[in-house]
Each structure stands twice: as C-alpha cells, then as structure tokens.
Amino acid sequence: MSQMPQQAALPKCPSCAEPVETGDLFCGACGHDLSVVPAAPQDHPTLTMTGSAASGDGVDWPAPEPAASGGTLPPAHLATDLAGTDSGGKPLPADGEPAAPGVRFDRPAEPDEYPLQAPDPRASADVAGAAVPAAEPAQVCVACRAGRVDSDGYCENCGHAQPRERDHMERESGPVAAVSDRGLRHHRNEDSFAVGHTTLPDGTPAALAVVCDGVSSATRPDDASMAASRVAGDILLAALPRGTHPQAAMHEAIVAAAQAVNALAEEPATAREHSPHQNAPACTIVGAVVTSGLLVVGWVGDSRVYWVPRDAGAPPARLTEDDSWAAQMVAAGLMSEAEAYADERAHAITGWLGADAYELEPHTASFKPDRPGVLVVCTDGLWNYAETAEEMSEIVPPDAAVRPLHSARVLVGHALDGGGHDNVTVAVLPFPAPPQGAVSA
C-alpha cells in the first residue's frame, strides 16, 4: 500500500531549541552561533555501522573512540587538506609536476555565459579568402504574407505549406503559351509540358507545344511526363530548322520521348525497391506544330488537341482520337460516345509511353485550315469539363490568338472552377503562326 511521503523534521537550535533552516549560520530566535560544533554527548556516542554480523544482534557495533582531553573533539579536517585522486585512484600531480599526456589542469576558469558576436552581414569571404555567395532573401509565405518559409516548405508564422514549384507552372515562348496546375484534389502535379518557337529553313515561323500526363498508377509519373515533354520539345526544335517535315519531326519526337520514359525504368537501379509491385514510369503525350499554312498533331494516349476557329460561325473540331477503352467501344460500334464516356472504364488508356507499353504506335496527322484560329493542346484535366469541340470553343476567349498566356490561364481556371479533380495542363497556339513580336500575353 502506498503512503504519502513524510516531511523530515527541521533541525533545532542547540541553545533555545527553536527550529532552524539547514545552512543557517545563526539562530533567528536567540542569535546562537550555529557554526560552533558542540561536544559529543557521552551517553549517546556516534557509532559507525560496518554491516558485519559478528554481534548477536547481527550488527558489529565498535567501541566508541576515547574522548580527547578536555572533552573536545579532535581538530576537523577540510576537504582541501586531503590529497585528491583521479578516476583511477592515483594521486593527482602536485603543482609544477607535469600532468599525464592529453590532460590539462591549468585551464583558466570559464565564464558562466559566453557572449556570441552577431555575424557581420557585410562579410563576403570566408577564412580562406574565397568568395561566399550572398544569402538568398527569405521566402515570404503565400498565405499570411508575413511569415518566413523554412527549409521544409512551411511558414514559420502560420504553418501553411507552401506550393511547390511544379504545382503551378506558366511559360510563354513567342506566339505559344502553356499553363499547368496541380488541381484541387491531387497531392502533386504529374503533368508537364514544353513550348517553343523556331523557323523553318525558308524562314517561315513555326511554333510548337508538347503536353504530357503522367499515369498515376505507375511509378514516378511526374518524372515520366517531364522527361517525355522535354525530350520531345528538344527534338522538334532541332528537327524543324533542319528541314524535316513537321509530321516526320513529330513522329521522331514521340519515339524519342518513349525512349526517355523507358530509360526511367532502368535508372537509378534502386528506383523501384520501395514500390516493387508498381508499373514502370509511364505517361501520355500530345503535341502540335503550327506553321504559316500547316498544322501537325501527334499523340499517344488520351490527351487531346482541339481546333477553335476565330470565326464563331465556323465549326470547331477535335483533331485527336483517344487511346482509351471508351474510344475503342465507340470505334467498334458497341456503344455510343455518351454511353462509353459515362462508363467507369472510360478513361482506361490503351496506349501510353513506358517500358511496359504493349507496342508504341505514334499517331500523327496534318491539317490545312482555311481560316485563322487557335489550337488548344490539353490533358483530360481540362477536357473532362469541356469534352466536345463545341463546349471547348465556348470557353476559349475570343482574343486567344493574340493573348495565348491569358487564354491558357482562363482555361485552367475553368477546370478549377469545375472541381479541379485532376492535374490540368493547357497550351494555346495561334494559327497561322504569326511572325515574332506579333503576339503579346
């Protein structure tokens, strides 16, 4: 049974028997000098317990030491009068005697506090004289606009997680622009894109856009989409000025993008150790090239290209066909388009870039529109909210040909307003490709 602890009784003054505090030098009641050691009483000597069991009561009680003449105790010894020893029991070295190697006894007394000097912000070189880069300005929280962002990406003031660089991306290159956003439901953005503009050998301007959508059920889908879009964009920018036909260049770009995604399954060697049962990195791809009189599209998967003429009275069109279960059902005549896309299997893709793809079959097509307009190159994060060509043409701003970046932002906003269930990426290209400097965002 547990008990409450008992408080020890306070010592008493030997003169007046009033309680005194431990450490008091004088009695507060009578002023008696408490530092004087009283003579040991003769009837109750202090005994030392040895712990042996020699006596009949189990304890060996030694005889009391004889009292000194005059009834006083032998002189007391201070602790400093005794020779000290180290942790091994050996005597400490005397003054002037060398200490053991690696040990110092002459260290000066240390202060209780160590004042730290603030670093000089003007310092621009280290002790070796090498230049030290200036510290980057602290990032300000996008939520409270007051706190600093720590190295983990959180605000030190309100704790808000800051958006990652890839959560929202925008880029404009000449007459073409693209915007990509994480959306409102996904924890990261697995889309990626590439945009650019160049000239053909005869000086004709050309603009291009590549949009890739990572396959979420695969390993590293964000890496796959980024690798594919970058490689495809680079191939197009290199092939078009050499005189390669845009449709042939598009086919070459898709093949190179597929090879780049396939390589992700091999490097690094430990990339799939933590997820051995997942599929290899994979993504879809769609691209478009626009010149003065020709537009070319290419794709694998279910990302799309829409044609929206500037003339509101002319019909818009979808220029790509999905590699998906729904498209196959419609093509086989087994379902209507409305029935197929209402099925839960509608977005199951049948073609993609990746090491575990059945067979790479790039689709390419060329068109020669008879009037100006714009191309909308997008992932299903947008066309889920504007599926038909007519629905897409209704949400494209009328000035999209001269303000492509603004238009891409508007289209991404439409998807976010609709729910933002997926990553959304949109590129806008005017047709025909205007000369450089003729388009502003």
Side-chain angles (χ1 to χ4, degrees):
M1 180 176 179
S2 60
Q3 298 178 352
M4 296 295 293
Q6 301 282 337
Q7 184 173 4
L10 294 175
K12 297 182 180 180
C13 173
S15 175
C16 65
E18 289 293 325
V20 295
E21 296 289 340
T22 303
D24 287 351
L25 299 180
F26 298 93
C27 175
C30 67
H32 180 76
D33 187 358
L34 301 177
S35 63
V36 176
V37 180
Q42 298 300 319
D43 54 343
H44 296 290
T46 302
L47 305 178
T48 304
M49 298 178 62
T50 63
S52 63
S55 62
D57 58 359
V59 179
D60 184 13
W61 301 97
E65 297 181 1
S69 60
T72 60
L73 292 176
H77 294 283
L78 300 177
T80 54
D81 295 337
L82 303 177
T85 60
D86 60 16
S87 59
K90 299 180 180 179
L92 296 176
D95 293 340
E97 182 179 348
V103 180
R104 290 181 62 111
F105 293 94
D106 59 345
R107 198 167 91 179
E110 299 180 354
D112 293 336
E113 296 183 359
Y114 293 86
L116 300 178
Q117 183 178 3
D120 186 355
R122 298 168 299 177
S124 59
D126 58 13
V127 294
V132 176
E136 296 183 359
Q139 182 181 350
V140 179
C141 174
V142 300
C144 67
R145 296 293 181 181
R148 296 187 305 174
V149 178
D150 62 20
S151 58
D152 294 329
Y154 291 86
C155 175
E156 296 177 348
N157 179 47
C158 67
H160 189 89
Q162 304 302 295
R164 290 164 290 191
E165 179 182 0
R166 196 165 168 180
D167 284 354
H168 185 88
M169 301 181 292
E170 297 185 359
R171 188 177 177 189
E172 185 178 23
S173 178
V176 57
V179 176
S180 181
D181 193 90
R182 177 174 61 91
L184 305 179
R185 302 295 181 89
H186 280 233
H187 69 285
R188 65 179 176 182
N189 189 1
E190 297 172 356
D191 288 357
S192 188
F193 66 84
V195 294
H197 67 285
T198 184
T199 56
L200 303 181
D202 59 359
T204 301
L208 61 96
V210 177
V211 170
C212 296
D213 184 356
V215 178
S216 297
S217 60
T219 306
R220 301 161 61 197
D222 51 337
D223 292 339
S225 63
M226 180 171 288
S229 61
R230 286 181 175 177
V231 169
D234 291 343
I235 292 295
L236 290 172
L237 288 173
L240 294 174
R242 293 198 306 259
T244 305
H245 190 279
Q247 192 166 352
M250 180 63 70
H251 185 278
E252 180 183 344
I254 294 176
V255 171
Q259 294 172 348
V261 177
N262 292 348
L264 294 178
E266 303 172 359
E267 62 162 4
T270 59
R272 298 179 64 187
E273 286 184 357
H274 300 293
S275 303
H277 304 296
Q278 285 190 322
N279 299 326
C283 67
T284 67
I285 186 171
V286 64
V289 174
V290 172
T291 66
S292 61
L294 179 72
L295 65 85
V296 172
V297 297
W299 74 97
V300 174
D302 62 350
S303 293
R304 296 178 175 179
V305 178
Y306 289 87
W307 161 252
V308 179
R310 183 180 300 179
D311 183 1
R318 174 156 62 97
L319 305 183
T320 59
E321 294 293 338
D322 298 343
D323 289 321
S324 68
W325 178 90
Q328 284 190 343
M329 295 297 102
V330 174
L334 301 177
M335 287 184 176
S336 67
E337 187 169 358
E339 293 173 337
Y341 282 100
D343 193 283
E344 61 180 8
R345 297 166 290 181
H347 290 278
I349 58 175
T350 58
W352 63 88
L353 306 185
D356 56 357
Y358 300 120
E359 184 177 356
L360 179 63
E361 296 182 359
H363 310 289
T364 61
S366 298
F367 303 90
K368 292 185 177 182
D370 59 355
R371 65 196 67 205
V374 294
L375 291 183
V376 176
V377 184
C378 63
T379 61
D380 59 349
L382 172 63
W383 65 254
N384 278 332
Y385 301 99
E387 187 172 330
T388 67
E390 290 73 21
E391 291 173 335
M392 185 64 70
S393 65
E394 291 176 359
I395 65 174
V396 173
D399 59 353
V402 294
R403 301 181 67 194
L405 181 57
H406 167 76
S407 300
R409 291 170 177 165
V410 169
L411 295 174
V412 169
H414 176 81
L416 298 181
D417 291 341
H421 287 72
D422 199 356
N423 307 146
V424 52
T425 302
V426 181
V428 176
L429 298 86
F431 176 88
Q436 295 187 21
V439 177
S440 88

